[in-house]
Each structure stands twice: as structure tokens, then as C-alpha cells.
């Protein structure tokens, strides 16, 4: 018999509606030249959902190639140090390529092949999505081009080499802030030009419909596994879920199947950067307002004149001025609490986890860990916290070293 706690309570499966809307957010704001390819993608995705062969092949690759299920590890020494709640880490960092991104890339890669596409393009900030896309392209025998801002290429150099070693072209983007926002701009320009043979493998729950729902569904495995694992380990559901929020793919993957469980509190942690002024952080919910960016209506960091703001985060994967529209809807409804953590706090959290548990996290989930470091000591010992450790820190060793956290 399956424990009822392992099954998600009622979740908003009406999200998104037929127009790709999560309440007031989401939608499809694209030029006419991209309307056909996104409609084609929507039809192909819906057909794949109902195809047992597609689902079986994806399941096989997630297990045998990517390494699912990932463990749920109880960080006992960290909890002892903090003196509060029990802390569990969902170890997405142990997946092939080193982050959760491979879940979505395998799904979209198989979908692209099903559609007869011979080429993948992608954007990347921290490089993990680019590496995962390049990996899937090599696995499936597809061409691959990855767009990456010059600033991100400099601070994530190991991932640039990995993508090129896998046979992908990495195109530096030197416009604008030379980060993720600008890489997406270039990828979309490429897609407009080459829609006949190219699939744009977007890396987060962003962009025009159906990307936000499609990427969410490919990452739901995170939360589905977590439900089963925490019930087996602790006999009940957790009290808190923590995850970093850039575009929001790892966090929505963890959160979604718990949305109907009102007793489970969910905290999304944005990049507080180095200050509260516009341009010094990437905290959309504390510094942004609703607007349209890259095909979707959501919370955006923008000036009073509606110009998209520059952002800053020590973490390249969180350095983006918009957030996924489903997160905007969850924020508006008050179901998820969103907060921010500074560069310095994230660096310190990475150091603490490395010294207490022998795990070096990426800077992205270090933001979620930093929030746990602040809150866990105030919790009761019987409370249970789950943190999505969405990536490992190999790519950030140079930043750790230059920051002097040793």
C-alpha cells in the first residue's frame, strides 16, 4: 500500500490555462516569426506527454544516464552546529553534469529529436545548462550552439571548456551586461533565423508558453522523489522546503508537488547581490514589478521608464532580471515566501557546508543554504527542513579562491 503522504495533495493543475497563463502571469509574447515554432513545440510536447514510448525512454535515461533517483541526505553535523531543525539535502549535485539541469535537457533533447530537429541552441549563465545541453546533444547526435555572456564565460571558465570538449560551439555575447539576459537575446535571434532545423532548449521556467510548464514538468521528478524519500526517512512530510530562485527551475521542480500541502512552508531565495539599489542585486520580488521579458509576463527588474535593469550576483545562474511566471503567481497568492541573500552570505554558507559535511555546493544553492543557516537555529529540533542542493561547486572554485573564503 502506498502511504498517502507520498501522494501530492491537490495542486493547481489548471495552471497554466490554455493561453499559458498562471493567473495573470505567463502567456506568449513573441514576434510573428516565432509564433509557429512555439505552437509546433506545444503540439509536440502534448503528444509526447501521452506517448508511453517517449516517457519510457526519458525514464531510462534519467535513471541510467543521469543517475536518478538522487539521494536525500540528512546533514546531521550541520544541524548539530546550528542547533535547530533536522536538515536534509536533496542531492541534485550528484547528477551527471553536476546539476539539476540535465533533467530538462534530456526531456527537451528527446522532444527535439522526435520533432526531426537536427540542432540544439541554448543560453547559459552559470554554464550548467550549457554543459547539460551539450551533453545531451552529444548523446543524441545533434549539433549544438550555446550562447554565453562574456562576463559569465570568464567566471565560469571550466564549464566553457567542458562544452567545447563535448563538441558544442560556445558563442561569446558581448552586448549589454554580457550575462544571461543578453545570452537569451542572442539565442532567440538564432532561433528566428533557423527554426526549420533548430530547437531552442530554454533552460528555465521562463519564456513563452509552453516553456514554463514544459520545463516544470521535466523537473517535477525532484519533488516527487523528495516526497517519497522524506516519508521513508522521517515518517512524514517536511515543515520547510528551501531552494534558490534564478529563473526558478530547480525550485519549482521541488515545490510543485507540495503546493497543495498547506502545512509545508516553501521559501525561495533570490540573489541579494551586494546591495539594495537597482543594478546591485537580482531580487525580483523585493525590487521588481510586473512586466514582459523574453516572451512572458512576470516580475522584472526594470527602471521607472520600463527599461530592463542590469543585475548583479556572485552566482552567474541567479544573475537574471526576470523570474518564472509560475513563481510570480505563487508569490501573488502568498503560497511561497521569497527572500534574498547577499553574495557574502552565500559564500559563507558554501564554506560552512564544505567544512561540516564534506560537500562543496555551487554558489546558486548556497543562497538557499544561507537562508537555512539564518533560520534553522530558531526552529525546534523536531522540525524538518529540505534544501534543494541543485548543483555542485566545481565550477565556482575560482570564485571561492578569489573571494578568500579559505
Amino acid at each position: 500500500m502506498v502511504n498517502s503522504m507520498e501522494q501530492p495533495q491537490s495542486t493547481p493543475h489548471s495552471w497554466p490555462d490554455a493561453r499559458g497563463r498562471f493567473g495573470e502571469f505567463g502567456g506568449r509574447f513573441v514576434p510573428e516569426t516565432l509564433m509557429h515554432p512555439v505552437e509546433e513545440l506545444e503540439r509536440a510536447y502534448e503528444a509526447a506527454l501521452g506517448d508511453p514510448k517517449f516517457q519510457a525512454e526519458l525514464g531510462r535515461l534519467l535513471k541510467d544516464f543521469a543517475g536518478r533517483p538522487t539521494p536525500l541526505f540528512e546533514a546531521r553535523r550541520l544541524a548539530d552546529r546550528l542547533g535547530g531543525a533536522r536538515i536534509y539535502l536533496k542531492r541534485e549535485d550528484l547528477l551527471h553534469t553536476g546539476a539539476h539541469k540535465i533533467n530538462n535537457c534530456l526531456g527537451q533533447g528527446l522532444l527535439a529529436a522526435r520533432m526531426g530537429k537536427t540542432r540544439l541552441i541554448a543560453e547559459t549563465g552559470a554554464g550548467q545548462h550549457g554543459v547539460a545541453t551539450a551533453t545531451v546533444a552529444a548523446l543524441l547526435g545533434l549539433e549544438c550552439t550555446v550562447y554565453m555572456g562574456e562576463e559569465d564565460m570568464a567566471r565560469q571558465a571550466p564549464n566553457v571548456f567542458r562544452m567545447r570538449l563535448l563538441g558544442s560551439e560556445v558563442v561569446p555575447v558581448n552586448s549589454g551586461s554580457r550575462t544571461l539576459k543578453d545570452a537569451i537575446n542572442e539565442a532567440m535571434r538564432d532561433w528566428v533565423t533557423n527554426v526549420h532545423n533548430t530547437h531552442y532548449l530554454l533552460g528555465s521556467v521562463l519564456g513563452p508558453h509552453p516553456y514554463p510548464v514544459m520545463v516544470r514538468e521535466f523537473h517535477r521528478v525532484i519533488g516527487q522523489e523528495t516526497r517519497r524519500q522524506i516519508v521513508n526517512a522521517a515518517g512524514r512530510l517536511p515543515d520547510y522546503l528551501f531552494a534558490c530562485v534564478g529563473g526558478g527551475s530547480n525550485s519549482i521542480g521541488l515545490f510543485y508537488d507540495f503546493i497543495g500541502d498547506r502545512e509545508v512552508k516553501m521559501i525561495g531565495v533570490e540573489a541579494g547581490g551586494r546591495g539594495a539599489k537597482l543594478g546591485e542585486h537580482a531580487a525580483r520580488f523585493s525590487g521588481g514589478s510586473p512586466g514582459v521579458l523574453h516572451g512572458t509576463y512576470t516580475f522584472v527588474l526594470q527602471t521607472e521608464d520600463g527599461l530592463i535593469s542590469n543585475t548583479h550576483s556572485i552566482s552567474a545562474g541567479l544573475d537574471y532580471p526576470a523570474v518564472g511566471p509560475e513563481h510570480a503567481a505563487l508569490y501573488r497568492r502568498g503560497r511561497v515566501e521569497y527572500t534574498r541573500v547577499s553574495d557574502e552570505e552565500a559564500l559563507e554558507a558554501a564554506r560552512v557546508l564544505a567544512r561540516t559535511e564534506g560537500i562543496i555546493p555551487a554558489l546558486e544553492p548556497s543562497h538557499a543554504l544561507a537562508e537555512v543557516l539564518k533560520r534553522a537555529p530558531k526552529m525546534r529540533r523536531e522540525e524538518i527542513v529540505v534544501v534543494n542542493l541543485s548543483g555542485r561547486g566545481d565550477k565556482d572554485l575560482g570564485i571561492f579562491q578569489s573571494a578568500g573564503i579559505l
Side-chain angles (χ1 to χ4, degrees):
M1 179 179 294
V2 177
N3 190 319
S4 62
M5 286 186 291
E6 296 180 15
Q7 302 303 309
Q9 301 301 307
S10 59
T11 51
H13 289 291
S14 59
W15 280 2
D17 63 19
R19 301 173 303 146
R21 290 278 188 165
F22 301 86
E24 67 185 284
F25 300 103
R28 182 182 285 162
F29 297 85
V30 294
E32 193 64 32
T33 50
L34 282 181
M35 190 60 72
H36 172 71
V38 295
E39 289 175 344
E40 176 191 32
L41 176 61
E42 182 181 12
R43 290 191 297 270
Y45 169 65
E46 289 176 349
L49 281 181
D51 184 349
K53 290 184 179 179
F54 177 90
Q55 297 298 331
E57 179 64 3
L58 177 57
R60 182 187 71 82
L61 289 174
L62 286 171
K63 176 178 178 290
D64 297 335
F65 184 73
R68 302 212 73 93
T70 58
L72 186 68
F73 172 71
E74 185 170 7
R76 293 176 179 170
R77 294 193 69 242
L78 178 61
D80 288 344
R81 173 184 174 128
L82 298 178
R86 297 172 67 183
I87 301 170
Y88 287 85
L89 307 176
K90 182 57 173 164
R91 297 293 309 276
E92 295 296 287
D93 60 309
L94 293 179
L95 285 171
H96 180 42
T97 72
H100 71 291
K101 295 293 188 180
I102 193 70
N103 302 321
N104 170 54
C105 289
L106 283 171
Q108 285 199 54
L110 289 175
L111 191 60
R114 178 189 177 96
M115 295 169 66
K117 305 297 184 181
T118 59
R119 178 173 177 259
L120 300 178
I121 58 173
E123 84 298 329
T124 195
Q128 288 301 133
H129 174 61
V131 169
T133 302
T135 297
V136 169
L139 175 70
L140 300 178
L142 304 174
E143 295 179 41
C144 183
T145 300
V146 178
Y147 291 91
M148 192 171 188
E150 282 189 338
E151 180 175 332
D152 291 338
M153 289 181 71
R155 58 181 169 174
Q156 306 283 214
N159 277 343
V160 175
F161 179 77
R162 293 169 75 193
M163 286 182 271
R164 288 172 171 162
L165 182 61
L166 287 159
S168 291
E169 179 186 12
V170 183
V171 178
V173 177
N174 57 19
S175 59
S177 61
R178 300 177 297 141
T179 56
L180 181 58
K181 168 179 66 72
D182 312 290
I184 293 178
N185 289 339
E186 292 303 316
M188 294 189 85
R189 289 189 187 101
D190 185 319
W191 196 24
V192 168
T193 305
N194 299 292
V195 292
H196 60 287
N197 71 334
T198 297
H199 171 68
Y200 178 19
L201 206 162
L202 203 157
S204 195
V205 285
L206 298 162
H209 179 64
Y211 279 108
V213 63
M214 179 172 65
V215 177
R216 179 194 76 196
E217 290 299 302
F218 287 140
H219 281 306
R220 276 184 68 187
V221 64
I222 302 170
Q224 290 167 342
E225 287 179 6
T226 299
R227 286 188 74 94
R228 294 192 297 269
Q229 291 168 326
I230 195 63
V231 169
N232 288 337
R236 66 179 181 86
L237 296 180
D239 297 287
Y240 294 89
L241 301 175
F242 287 81
C244 63
V245 182
S249 61
N250 92 90
S251 45
I252 208 67
L254 176 65
F255 293 165
Y256 187 74
D257 278 85
F258 292 89
I259 290 174
D261 301 290
R262 303 299 298 190
E263 71 275 19
V264 179
K265 302 175 182 67
M266 297 184 283
I267 293 89
V269 185
E270 298 185 284
R274 60 190 170 216
K277 291 175 58 178
L278 193 64
E280 294 187 345
H281 62 84
R284 288 64 50 97
F285 292 119
S286 61
S289 57
V292 174
L293 181 63
H294 294 140
T296 195
Y297 181 68
T298 185
F299 269 75
V300 180
L301 288 169
Q302 54 190 327
T303 67
E304 292 181 357
D305 298 325
L307 298 176
I308 301 302
S309 171
N310 287 336
T311 56
H312 164 77
S313 172
I314 196 169
S315 163
L318 305 185
D319 199 354
Y320 181 67
V323 67
E326 188 163 9
H327 284 287
L330 291 168
Y331 169 77
R332 188 75 94 193
R333 292 193 174 192
R335 180 61 187 94
V336 178
E337 177 189 353
Y338 294 89
T339 186
R340 56 195 286 174
V341 154
S342 71
D343 291 347
E344 292 77 9
E345 290 170 321
L347 285 165
E348 174 61 12
R351 189 189 68 81
V352 169
L353 188 67
R355 298 289 176 87
T356 57
E357 298 291 353
I359 299 170
I360 302 173
L363 278 166
E364 289 79 14
S366 295
H367 285 70
L369 284 165
E371 189 66 18
V372 172
L373 263 59
K374 288 190 281 188
R375 296 193 187 205
K378 304 172 186 175
M379 296 179 189
R380 301 185 307 276
R381 183 58 181 165
E382 62 270 20
E383 291 186 282
I384 297 172
V385 166
V386 173
V387 187
N388 195 14
L389 200 66
S390 56
R392 64 176 178 247
D394 308 44
K395 67 183 181 62
D396 295 319
L397 293 179
I399 299 174
F400 292 145
Q401 186 175 25
S402 63
I405 68 168
L406 299 180

